[in-house]
């Protein structure tokens, strides 16, 4: 069953600035593992590497792909390209070439229907929407394009353009607030990563929602104001949070 779990709201922002802007509200939304499963990007990248290795070294695409997915399954996530080079006895410098192929490939991705419907519903309800994403901006840009996200949100902010390492730096969240032209008290942040999404947003007094992931536990100090199981719950959860903030400071 679905759930929305609330935590103590007393720590959330205590002032609303700009009385005339209270009716405007915004959502800062994480990308990877929030709007779509990042694993799909990884699979797309490994497939691009397999095609490259086939063209350059004559290795069947299926065989190259299988070596890398086997490495993932055996606990080698993040080292699939090294495993492939080791298996094929390719020179060690080949890894750098394969990393470049992985990062610069045009990903085969689609935005899940639940994400499409949720973003459209939020816009219909008057929310301003900004995607705030970590990762190499050039890589993230390709993901955004493949997912068709630019047409569904008001702004996309690449966190690492504003702070080394991106989120949880407050500079990244300030950039999102500027992009939305809203104050912290008018915004809610949603993401799957308590350390990056929740901690960073809370540092500016932005209300927070965590999208729960199976097998992920979060220290109480880093838990979001609300926890949801599915994006479909986001419109109600975000509206509840801003109503609570407004009531707290009235």
């Amino acid at each position: 069953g679905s759930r929305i779990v609330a935590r103590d709201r007393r720590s959330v922002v205590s002032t609303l600035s700009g009385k005339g802007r209270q009716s405007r509200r915004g959502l800062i939304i994480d990308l990877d593992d929030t709007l779509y499963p990042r694993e799909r990007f990884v699979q797309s990248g490994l497939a691009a590497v397999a095609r490259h290795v086939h063209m350059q070294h004559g290795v069947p695409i299926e065989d190259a792909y299988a070596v890398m997915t086997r490495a993932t399954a055996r606990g080698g996530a993040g080292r699939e390209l090294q495993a492939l080079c080791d298996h094929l006895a390719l020179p060690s410098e080949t890894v750098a070439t394969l990393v470049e192929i992985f990062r610069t490939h045009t990903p085969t991705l689609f935005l899940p229907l639940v994400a499409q419907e949720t973003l459209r519903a939020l816009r219909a309800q008057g929310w301003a929407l900004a995607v705030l994403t970590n990762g190499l901006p050039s890589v993230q840009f390709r993901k955004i394009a493949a997912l068709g996200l630019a047409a569904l949100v008001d702004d996309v902010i690449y966190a690492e353009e504003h702070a080394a390492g991106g989120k949880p730096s407050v500079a990244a969240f300030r950039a999102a607030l500027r992009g939305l032209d809203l104050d912290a008290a008018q915004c809610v942040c949603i993401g799957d990563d308590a350390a990056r999404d929740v901690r960073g947003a809370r540092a500016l007094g932005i209300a927070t929602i965590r999208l729960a992931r199976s097998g992920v536990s979060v220290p109480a100090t880093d838990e979001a104001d609300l926890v949801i199981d599915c994006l479909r719950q986001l419109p109600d959860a975000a509206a509840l949070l801003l109503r609570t903030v407004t009531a707290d400071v009235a």
Side-chain angles (χ1 to χ4, degrees), residues 101-185:
I101 295 293
F102 184 95
R103 287 178 174 171
T104 60
H105 87 287
T106 299
T108 303
L109 296 174
F110 63 90
L111 195 63
L113 187 60
V114 63
Q116 295 180 43
E117 291 176 344
T118 299
L119 293 176
R120 290 193 176 104
L122 287 163
R123 270 195 149 173
Q125 293 167 18
W127 289 89
L129 308 177
V131 171
L132 177 62
T133 180
N134 272 7
L136 285 174
S138 59
V139 175
Q140 301 305 97
F141 176 84
R142 289 183 179 88
K143 294 177 185 178
I144 295 287
L147 293 165
L149 264 172
L152 296 172
V153 300
D154 300 289
D155 201 6
V156 177
I157 296 99
Y158 301 97
E160 296 205 9
E161 291 182 344
H162 301 277
K167 299 179 285 186
S169 169
V170 294
F173 290 88
R174 284 198 184 103
L177 293 176
R178 284 196 303 272
L180 291 171
D181 189 28
L182 293 172
D183 300 322

Coordinates of all heavy atoms in Angstrom, one line a residue, residues 101-185:
I101 N 32.9 7.0 -24.5 CA 31.7 6.5 -25.3 C 30.5 6.5 -24.4 O 29.4 6.9 -24.8 CB 32.0 5.1 -25.8 CG1 33.2 5.1 -26.9 CG2 30.8 4.4 -26.4 CD1 32.9 5.8 -28.2
F102 N 30.7 6.0 -23.2 CA 29.6 5.9 -22.3 C 29.0 7.3 -22.0 O 27.7 7.4 -22.0 CB 30.1 5.2 -21.0 CG 29.0 5.0 -19.9 CD1 28.3 3.7 -19.9 CD2 28.6 5.9 -19.0 CE1 27.4 3.5 -18.9 CE2 27.6 5.7 -18.1 CZ 27.0 4.5 -18.0
R103 N 29.8 8.2 -21.7 CA 29.4 9.5 -21.3 C 28.8 10.3 -22.5 O 27.9 11.2 -22.2 CB 30.5 10.3 -20.7 CG 31.0 9.9 -19.3 CD 32.1 10.7 -18.8 NE 32.5 10.4 -17.5 CZ 33.6 10.8 -16.9 NH1 34.4 11.6 -17.5 NH2 33.8 10.5 -15.6
T104 N 29.2 10.1 -23.7 CA 28.8 11.0 -24.8 C 27.8 10.3 -25.7 O 27.3 11.0 -26.6 CB 30.0 11.4 -25.6 OG1 30.7 10.2 -26.2 CG2 31.0 12.2 -24.8
H105 N 27.4 9.1 -25.4 CA 26.4 8.4 -26.2 C 25.0 9.1 -26.1 O 24.8 9.8 -25.1 CB 26.3 7.0 -25.9 CG 25.3 6.6 -24.8 ND1 25.6 6.9 -23.5 CD2 24.1 6.0 -24.9 CE1 24.6 6.4 -22.8 NE2 23.7 5.9 -23.6
T106 N 24.3 9.0 -27.1 CA 22.9 9.5 -27.1 C 22.0 8.5 -26.4 O 21.8 7.4 -27.0 CB 22.3 9.9 -28.5 OG1 23.2 10.9 -29.0 CG2 20.9 10.4 -28.4
P107 N 21.6 8.7 -25.2 CA 20.9 7.6 -24.4 C 19.5 7.3 -25.0 O 18.8 8.1 -25.5 CB 20.8 8.1 -23.0 CG 20.9 9.6 -23.1 CD 21.7 9.9 -24.4
T108 N 19.2 6.0 -24.9 CA 17.9 5.5 -25.3 C 17.1 5.5 -24.0 O 17.2 4.5 -23.2 CB 18.0 4.1 -25.9 OG1 18.8 4.2 -27.0 CG2 16.6 3.6 -26.3
L109 N 16.3 6.5 -23.7 CA 15.5 6.6 -22.5 C 14.1 7.0 -22.8 O 13.8 7.6 -23.9 CB 16.1 7.7 -21.6 CG 17.5 7.4 -21.1 CD1 18.0 8.7 -20.3 CD2 17.6 6.2 -20.2
F110 N 13.2 6.8 -21.9 CA 11.8 7.3 -22.0 C 11.4 7.7 -20.6 O 11.8 7.1 -19.6 CB 10.9 6.3 -22.6 CG 10.7 5.0 -21.8 CD1 9.7 4.9 -20.9 CD2 11.5 3.9 -22.1 CE1 9.6 3.7 -20.1 CE2 11.4 2.8 -21.4 CZ 10.4 2.7 -20.4
L111 N 10.6 8.7 -20.5 CA 10.0 9.1 -19.2 C 8.9 8.3 -18.8 O 7.9 8.1 -19.6 CB 9.6 10.6 -19.3 CG 9.4 11.3 -18.0 CD1 10.7 11.4 -17.1 CD2 8.8 12.7 -18.2
P112 N 8.9 7.6 -17.7 CA 7.8 6.7 -17.3 C 6.5 7.5 -17.3 O 6.4 8.7 -17.0 CB 8.2 6.3 -15.8 CG 9.7 6.4 -15.8 CD 10.0 7.6 -16.7
L113 N 5.4 6.8 -17.6 CA 4.1 7.4 -17.7 C 3.7 8.1 -16.4 O 3.1 9.2 -16.4 CB 3.0 6.4 -18.0 CG 1.6 6.9 -18.3 CD1 1.6 7.9 -19.5 CD2 0.7 5.7 -18.6
V114 N 4.0 7.5 -15.2 CA 3.7 8.1 -14.0 C 4.4 9.5 -13.8 O 3.8 10.4 -13.3 CB 4.0 7.2 -12.8 CG1 5.5 6.9 -12.7 CG2 3.5 7.7 -11.5
A115 N 5.6 9.6 -14.3 CA 6.3 10.9 -14.2 C 5.7 11.9 -15.1 O 5.5 13.1 -14.7 CB 7.8 10.7 -14.5
Q116 N 5.3 11.5 -16.4 CA 4.7 12.4 -17.3 C 3.4 12.9 -16.7 O 3.1 14.1 -16.7 CB 4.4 11.7 -18.6 CG 5.6 11.2 -19.4 CD 5.2 10.5 -20.7 OE1 4.3 10.9 -21.4 NE2 5.9 9.4 -21.0
E117 N 2.6 12.0 -16.2 CA 1.2 12.4 -15.7 C 1.4 13.3 -14.5 O 0.6 14.2 -14.3 CB 0.4 11.1 -15.4 CG 0.0 10.4 -16.6 CD -0.7 9.1 -16.3 OE1 -0.6 8.6 -15.1 OE2 -1.3 8.5 -17.2
T118 N 2.3 13.0 -13.6 CA 2.5 13.8 -12.4 C 3.0 15.2 -12.7 O 2.4 16.2 -12.2 CB 3.5 13.1 -11.4 OG1 3.0 11.8 -11.1 CG2 3.7 13.9 -10.2
L119 N 3.9 15.3 -13.6 CA 4.4 16.7 -14.0 C 3.3 17.5 -14.6 O 3.1 18.7 -14.4 CB 5.6 16.5 -14.9 CG 6.9 16.0 -14.3 CD1 7.9 15.8 -15.4 CD2 7.4 16.8 -13.2
R120 N 2.5 16.8 -15.5 CA 1.4 17.6 -16.1 C 0.3 18.0 -15.1 O -0.2 19.1 -15.2 CB 0.7 16.7 -17.2 CG 1.6 16.5 -18.4 CD 0.9 15.9 -19.6 NE 1.8 15.9 -20.8 CZ 2.3 14.7 -21.2 NH1 2.1 13.6 -20.6 NH2 3.1 14.7 -22.3
A121 N 0.1 17.1 -14.1 CA -0.9 17.4 -13.1 C -0.4 18.6 -12.2 O -1.2 19.5 -11.9 CB -1.2 16.2 -12.2
L122 N 0.9 18.6 -11.9 CA 1.4 19.7 -11.1 C 1.3 21.0 -11.8 O 1.0 22.0 -11.2 CB 2.9 19.4 -10.7 CG 3.1 18.3 -9.7 CD1 4.5 17.7 -9.7 CD2 2.7 18.8 -8.3
R123 N 1.7 21.0 -13.1 CA 1.6 22.2 -13.9 C 0.1 22.7 -14.0 O -0.1 23.9 -13.9 CB 2.1 22.0 -15.3 CG 3.6 22.3 -15.4 CD 4.0 22.4 -16.8 NE 5.1 23.3 -17.0 CZ 5.8 23.5 -18.1 NH1 5.4 22.8 -19.2 NH2 6.8 24.3 -18.2
A124 N -0.8 21.8 -14.1 CA -2.2 22.1 -14.2 C -2.7 22.8 -12.9 O -3.6 23.6 -12.9 CB -3.1 20.9 -14.5
Q125 N -2.0 22.4 -11.8 CA -2.4 22.9 -10.5 C -1.6 24.2 -10.2 O -1.7 24.8 -9.1 CB -2.1 21.9 -9.4 CG -3.0 20.7 -9.5 CD -2.5 19.5 -8.6 OE1 -1.7 19.7 -7.7 NE2 -3.0 18.3 -8.9
G126 N -0.8 24.7 -11.1 CA -0.2 26.0 -11.0 C 1.2 25.9 -10.4 O 1.8 27.0 -10.0
W127 N 1.8 24.7 -10.2 CA 3.2 24.7 -9.7 C 4.2 25.1 -10.8 O 4.1 24.7 -11.9 CB 3.5 23.2 -9.3 CG 2.8 22.8 -8.0 CD1 1.5 22.2 -8.0 CD2 3.2 22.9 -6.7 NE1 1.2 21.9 -6.7 CE2 2.2 22.3 -5.9 CE3 4.4 23.4 -6.1 CZ2 2.3 22.2 -4.5 CZ3 4.5 23.3 -4.7 CH2 3.5 22.7 -3.9
A128 N 5.2 25.8 -10.3 CA 6.4 26.0 -11.2 C 7.3 24.9 -10.9 O 7.6 24.6 -9.7 CB 7.0 27.4 -10.9
L129 N 7.9 24.3 -12.0 CA 8.7 23.1 -11.8 C 10.2 23.3 -12.3 O 10.4 23.8 -13.4 CB 8.1 22.0 -12.6 CG 6.6 21.7 -12.3 CD1 6.2 20.6 -13.3 CD2 6.4 21.3 -10.9
A130 N 11.1 23.0 -11.5 CA 12.5 23.0 -11.9 C 13.2 21.7 -11.6 O 13.0 21.1 -10.4 CB 13.3 24.1 -11.1
V131 N 13.9 21.1 -12.5 CA 14.7 19.9 -12.3 C 16.1 20.4 -11.9 O 16.7 21.2 -12.5 CB 14.8 19.0 -13.6 CG1 15.8 17.9 -13.4 CG2 13.4 18.5 -13.9
L132 N 16.6 19.8 -10.8 CA 17.9 20.1 -10.2 C 18.7 18.8 -10.2 O 18.3 17.9 -9.4 CB 17.8 20.8 -8.9 CG 19.2 21.1 -8.2 CD1 20.0 22.1 -9.0 CD2 18.9 21.6 -6.8
T133 N 19.7 18.7 -11.0 CA 20.4 17.4 -11.2 C 21.9 17.5 -11.0 O 22.5 18.4 -11.4 CB 20.0 16.8 -12.5 OG1 20.7 15.5 -12.6 CG2 20.4 17.6 -13.7
N134 N 22.4 16.5 -10.3 CA 23.8 16.3 -10.1 C 24.4 15.6 -11.4 O 23.6 15.0 -12.2 CB 24.2 15.5 -8.9 CG 24.4 16.4 -7.7 OD1 24.1 17.6 -7.7 ND2 24.8 15.9 -6.6
G135 N 25.7 15.5 -11.4 CA 26.3 14.8 -12.5 C 26.9 15.7 -13.5 O 26.7 16.9 -13.5
L136 N 27.8 15.2 -14.4 CA 28.4 16.0 -15.5 C 27.3 16.7 -16.3 O 26.4 16.0 -16.8 CB 29.2 15.1 -16.4 CG 30.6 14.7 -15.9 CD1 31.2 13.7 -16.9 CD2 31.5 15.9 -15.6
P137 N 27.3 18.0 -16.4 CA 26.2 18.7 -17.1 C 26.0 18.2 -18.5 O 24.9 18.0 -19.0 CB 26.7 20.1 -17.1 CG 27.4 20.3 -15.8 CD 28.2 19.0 -15.7
S138 N 27.1 17.8 -19.2 CA 27.0 17.3 -20.6 C 26.3 16.0 -20.7 O 25.5 15.8 -21.6 CB 28.4 17.2 -21.2 OG 29.2 16.3 -20.5
V139 N 26.5 15.2 -19.7 CA 25.8 13.9 -19.6 C 24.4 14.1 -19.2 O 23.4 13.5 -19.8 CB 26.5 12.9 -18.6 CG1 25.7 11.6 -18.4 CG2 27.9 12.6 -19.0
Q140 N 24.1 14.9 -18.2 CA 22.7 15.1 -17.8 C 21.9 15.8 -18.8 O 20.7 15.6 -19.0 CB 22.8 16.0 -16.5 CG 23.5 15.3 -15.3 CD 23.1 13.9 -15.0 OE1 23.7 13.0 -15.4 NE2 22.0 13.8 -14.2
F141 N 22.5 16.7 -19.6 CA 21.8 17.4 -20.7 C 21.3 16.4 -21.7 O 20.2 16.5 -22.2 CB 22.8 18.3 -21.4 CG 22.2 19.0 -22.6 CD1 21.4 20.2 -22.5 CD2 22.4 18.5 -23.9 CE1 20.8 20.8 -23.6 CE2 21.8 19.1 -25.0 CZ 21.0 20.2 -24.9
R142 N 22.1 15.3 -22.0 CA 21.6 14.3 -22.9 C 20.5 13.5 -22.4 O 19.6 13.1 -23.1 CB 22.8 13.4 -23.3 CG 23.8 14.0 -24.2 CD 25.0 13.1 -24.6 NE 25.9 13.7 -25.5 CZ 27.0 14.4 -25.1 NH1 27.2 14.5 -23.8 NH2 27.8 15.0 -25.9
K143 N 20.5 13.3 -21.1 CA 19.4 12.6 -20.4 C 18.1 13.4 -20.5 O 17.1 12.9 -20.9 CB 19.7 12.3 -18.9 CG 20.8 11.3 -18.7 CD 21.1 11.2 -17.2 CE 22.3 10.4 -16.8 NZ 22.5 10.3 -15.4
I144 N 18.2 14.7 -20.2 CA 17.1 15.6 -20.2 C 16.5 15.6 -21.6 O 15.2 15.5 -21.8 CB 17.5 17.0 -19.8 CG1 17.9 17.1 -18.4 CG2 16.4 18.0 -20.1 CD1 16.8 16.9 -17.3
A145 N 17.3 15.7 -22.6 CA 16.9 15.7 -24.0 C 16.2 14.4 -24.4 O 15.1 14.4 -25.0 CB 18.0 16.0 -25.0
A146 N 16.8 13.3 -24.0 CA 16.2 11.9 -24.4 C 14.9 11.7 -23.7 O 14.0 11.1 -24.3 CB 17.2 10.8 -24.0
L147 N 14.7 12.2 -22.5 CA 13.5 12.1 -21.7 C 12.4 13.1 -22.1 O 11.3 12.9 -21.7 CB 13.8 12.2 -20.2 CG 14.6 11.1 -19.6 CD1 15.1 11.6 -18.2 CD2 13.8 9.8 -19.5
G148 N 12.8 14.1 -22.9 CA 11.8 15.1 -23.3 C 11.3 15.9 -22.2 O 10.2 16.4 -22.2
L149 N 12.2 16.2 -21.2 CA 11.8 16.8 -20.0 C 11.6 18.3 -20.1 O 10.8 19.0 -19.4 CB 12.7 16.6 -18.9 CG 12.4 15.4 -17.9 CD1 13.5 15.1 -17.0 CD2 11.1 15.7 -17.1
A150 N 12.3 19.0 -21.0 CA 12.3 20.4 -21.1 C 10.9 20.9 -21.4 O 10.6 22.0 -21.0 CB 13.3 20.9 -22.2
A151 N 10.1 20.2 -22.1 CA 8.7 20.6 -22.4 C 7.8 20.5 -21.2 O 6.7 21.0 -21.3 CB 8.2 19.8 -23.6
L152 N 8.2 19.8 -20.2 CA 7.3 19.5 -19.1 C 7.6 20.3 -17.8 O 6.9 20.2 -16.9 CB 7.4 18.0 -18.8 CG 6.9 17.0 -19.9 CD1 7.1 15.6 -19.5 CD2 5.4 17.2 -20.1
V153 N 8.8 21.0 -17.8 CA 9.2 21.8 -16.6 C 9.5 23.2 -17.1 O 9.7 23.5 -18.3 CB 10.3 21.1 -15.9 CG1 10.0 19.7 -15.4 CG2 11.6 21.1 -16.8
D154 N 9.7 24.1 -16.1 CA 10.0 25.5 -16.4 C 11.5 25.7 -16.5 O 11.9 26.7 -17.1 CB 9.4 26.3 -15.3 CG 7.8 26.2 -15.3 OD1 7.2 26.6 -16.2 OD2 7.3 25.5 -14.3
D155 N 12.3 24.9 -15.8 CA 13.7 25.2 -15.8 C 14.5 23.9 -15.5 O 13.9 23.0 -14.8 CB 14.1 26.2 -14.7 CG 15.4 26.9 -15.0 OD1 16.0 26.7 -16.1 OD2 15.8 27.7 -14.2
V156 N 15.7 23.8 -16.0 CA 16.6 22.7 -15.7 C 17.9 23.3 -15.2 O 18.5 24.1 -15.9 CB 16.8 21.7 -16.9 CG1 17.8 20.6 -16.5 CG2 15.5 21.1 -17.4
I157 N 18.3 22.9 -14.0 CA 19.5 23.4 -13.4 C 20.5 22.3 -13.2 O 20.2 21.3 -12.6 CB 19.3 24.1 -12.0 CG1 18.3 25.3 -12.2 CG2 20.6 24.6 -11.4 CD1 16.9 25.1 -11.9
Y158 N 21.7 22.5 -13.8 CA 22.8 21.5 -13.6 C 23.6 21.9 -12.4 O 24.3 22.9 -12.5 CB 23.6 21.4 -14.9 CG 22.7 21.0 -16.1 CD1 22.2 22.0 -16.9 CD2 22.3 19.7 -16.3 CE1 21.3 21.6 -18.0 CE2 21.5 19.3 -17.3 CZ 21.0 20.3 -18.2 OH 20.2 20.0 -19.2
A159 N 23.5 21.2 -11.3 CA 24.0 21.6 -10.0 C 25.5 21.9 -10.1 O 26.0 22.8 -9.4 CB 23.7 20.6 -9.0
E160 N 26.2 21.1 -10.9 CA 27.7 21.2 -10.9 C 28.1 22.5 -11.6 O 29.3 22.8 -11.5 CB 28.3 19.9 -11.4 CG 28.0 18.7 -10.6 CD 29.1 17.6 -10.7 OE1 30.1 17.9 -11.3 OE2 28.8 16.5 -10.1
E161 N 27.2 23.1 -12.3 CA 27.6 24.4 -12.9 C 27.6 25.5 -11.8 O 28.0 26.7 -12.1 CB 26.6 24.8 -14.0 CG 26.7 23.9 -15.2 CD 25.7 24.3 -16.3 OE1 24.8 25.1 -16.0 OE2 26.0 23.9 -17.5
H162 N 27.0 25.2 -10.6 CA 26.9 26.2 -9.6 C 27.7 25.9 -8.3 O 27.9 26.8 -7.5 CB 25.4 26.4 -9.2 CG 24.6 26.8 -10.3 ND1 24.4 28.1 -10.7 CD2 23.8 26.0 -11.2 CE1 23.6 28.1 -11.8 NE2 23.3 26.9 -12.1
A163 N 28.2 24.7 -8.2 CA 29.0 24.3 -7.1 C 29.7 23.0 -7.4 O 29.2 22.1 -8.0 CB 28.1 24.0 -5.8
A164 N 31.0 22.9 -7.0 CA 31.8 21.7 -7.3 C 31.1 20.5 -6.5 O 30.8 20.6 -5.3 CB 33.2 21.9 -6.8
G165 N 30.8 19.5 -7.3 CA 30.1 18.3 -6.7 C 28.6 18.5 -6.6 O 27.9 17.5 -6.3
G166 N 28.1 19.7 -6.9 CA 26.6 19.9 -7.0 C 25.9 19.8 -5.6 O 26.5 20.2 -4.6
K167 N 24.8 19.2 -5.6 CA 24.0 19.0 -4.4 C 24.9 18.1 -3.4 O 25.6 17.2 -3.9 CB 22.7 18.3 -4.6 CG 21.8 19.1 -5.5 CD 20.4 18.3 -5.8 CE 20.6 17.1 -6.8 NZ 19.3 16.5 -7.1
P168 N 24.9 18.3 -2.1 CA 23.9 19.2 -1.4 C 24.3 20.7 -1.2 O 23.8 21.3 -0.3 CB 23.9 18.5 0.0 CG 25.3 18.0 0.2 CD 25.7 17.5 -1.2
S169 N 25.3 21.2 -1.9 CA 25.7 22.6 -1.8 C 24.4 23.5 -1.9 O 23.6 23.4 -2.8 CB 26.7 22.9 -2.9 OG 26.9 24.3 -2.9
V170 N 24.4 24.5 -1.0 CA 23.2 25.4 -1.0 C 23.3 26.2 -2.3 O 22.2 26.7 -2.7 CB 23.2 26.3 0.3 CG1 22.9 25.5 1.5 CG2 24.5 27.1 0.4
A171 N 24.5 26.4 -2.9 CA 24.5 27.2 -4.1 C 23.7 26.6 -5.2 O 23.1 27.4 -6.0 CB 26.0 27.3 -4.6
A172 N 23.6 25.3 -5.3 CA 22.8 24.6 -6.3 C 21.3 24.9 -6.0 O 20.6 25.2 -7.0 CB 23.1 23.1 -6.3
F173 N 20.9 24.9 -4.8 CA 19.5 25.1 -4.5 C 19.1 26.6 -4.7 O 18.0 26.9 -5.1 CB 19.2 24.6 -3.1 CG 19.2 23.1 -3.0 CD1 20.4 22.4 -2.7 CD2 18.0 22.4 -3.2 CE1 20.4 21.0 -2.6 CE2 18.1 21.0 -3.2 CZ 19.2 20.3 -2.9
R174 N 20.1 27.5 -4.3 CA 19.8 28.9 -4.6 C 19.6 29.1 -6.1 O 18.8 29.9 -6.5 CB 21.0 29.7 -4.1 CG 21.0 29.9 -2.6 CD 21.9 31.0 -2.1 NE 22.0 31.1 -0.7 CZ 23.1 30.7 0.0 NH1 24.1 30.2 -0.6 NH2 23.1 30.8 1.3
A175 N 20.4 28.4 -6.9 CA 20.2 28.6 -8.4 C 18.8 28.1 -8.8 O 18.2 28.7 -9.7 CB 21.3 27.8 -9.1
A176 N 18.3 27.1 -8.2 CA 17.0 26.6 -8.5 C 15.9 27.6 -8.1 O 15.0 27.9 -8.8 CB 16.7 25.2 -7.8
L177 N 16.1 28.2 -6.9 CA 15.2 29.2 -6.4 C 15.2 30.4 -7.4 O 14.1 31.0 -7.7 CB 15.5 29.7 -5.0 CG 15.3 28.6 -3.9 CD1 15.8 29.2 -2.6 CD2 13.8 28.2 -3.8
R178 N 16.4 30.8 -7.8 CA 16.5 31.9 -8.8 C 15.8 31.6 -10.1 O 15.1 32.4 -10.7 CB 17.9 32.3 -9.1 CG 18.6 33.1 -8.0 CD 19.9 33.7 -8.5 NE 20.8 32.7 -9.0 CZ 21.7 32.0 -8.3 NH1 21.8 32.2 -7.0 NH2 22.6 31.2 -8.9
G179 N 15.9 30.4 -10.5 CA 15.3 29.9 -11.8 C 13.8 30.0 -11.7 O 13.1 30.3 -12.7
L180 N 13.3 29.7 -10.5 CA 11.8 29.7 -10.3 C 11.3 31.0 -9.9 O 10.1 31.3 -9.9 CB 11.4 28.6 -9.2 CG 11.6 27.2 -9.6 CD1 11.4 26.3 -8.4 CD2 10.7 26.8 -10.7
D181 N 12.2 31.9 -9.5 CA 11.9 33.3 -9.0 C 11.0 33.1 -7.8 O 9.9 33.8 -7.7 CB 11.2 34.1 -10.1 CG 11.0 35.6 -9.7 OD1 11.8 36.0 -8.8 OD2 10.1 36.2 -10.2
L182 N 11.4 32.2 -6.9 CA 10.6 32.0 -5.7 C 11.5 32.0 -4.5 O 12.7 31.8 -4.6 CB 9.8 30.7 -5.8 CG 8.7 30.5 -6.8 CD1 8.3 29.1 -7.0 CD2 7.6 31.4 -6.5
D183 N 10.9 32.2 -3.3 CA 11.6 32.1 -2.0 C 11.6 30.7 -1.6 O 10.7 29.9 -2.0 CB 10.9 33.0 -1.0 CG 10.8 34.5 -1.4 OD1 11.8 34.9 -2.0 OD2 9.8 35.1 -1.1
A184 N 12.5 30.4 -0.6 CA 12.5 29.0 -0.1 C 11.2 28.6 0.5 O 10.8 27.4 0.4 CB 13.6 29.0 1.0
A185 N 10.5 29.5 1.2 CA 9.2 29.2 1.8 C 8.1 28.9 0.8 O 7.1 28.4 1.2 CB 8.8 30.4 2.7

